[in-house]
Amino acid sequence: DDDMPLEDKTLSFSVTGACSGSGTTDETGVAAFTCGPVPLVAGEYDVNVSYSGMGGYYEETSAAGTLTVEPEDVSISFH
């Protein structure tokens, strides 16, 4: 069924200037990966995601977007 999510498929992620890695889709077709161990500083990053396809069923595909990292509020107190 073409409307079914693809489970247990590997996606490759690349965050320009920061990190790259892969993630495996879950039963809902969602994949994630952790960019680290160094946290990203506030700013915008180009993100590319690709899927290598599935021999004759699904073509190789990729997508691009922007990841925005907001600055974290920091509180310092002295006693």
Side-chain angles (χ1 to χ4, degrees), residues 6-28:
L6 293 176
E7 183 178 0
D8 200 32
K9 303 299 176 205
T10 301
L11 301 180
S12 297
F13 294 85
S14 174
V15 180
T16 302
C19 60
S20 61
S22 62
T24 303
T25 56
D26 63 14
E27 64 278 353
T28 66

Side-chain angles (χ1 to χ4, degrees), residues 8-68:
D8 200 32
K9 303 299 176 205
T10 301
L11 301 180
S12 297
F13 294 85
S14 174
V15 180
T16 302
C19 60
S20 61
S22 62
T24 303
T25 56
D26 63 14
E27 64 278 353
T28 66
V30 174
F33 90 110
T34 301
C35 187
V38 177
L40 294 173
V41 297
E44 290 190 345
Y45 298 85
D46 294 327
V47 178
N48 294 292
V49 182
S50 62
Y51 171 63
S52 62
M54 198 170 102
Y57 293 100
Y58 297 99
E59 295 179 10
E60 179 178 333
T61 188
S62 63
T66 302
L67 168 67
T68 302

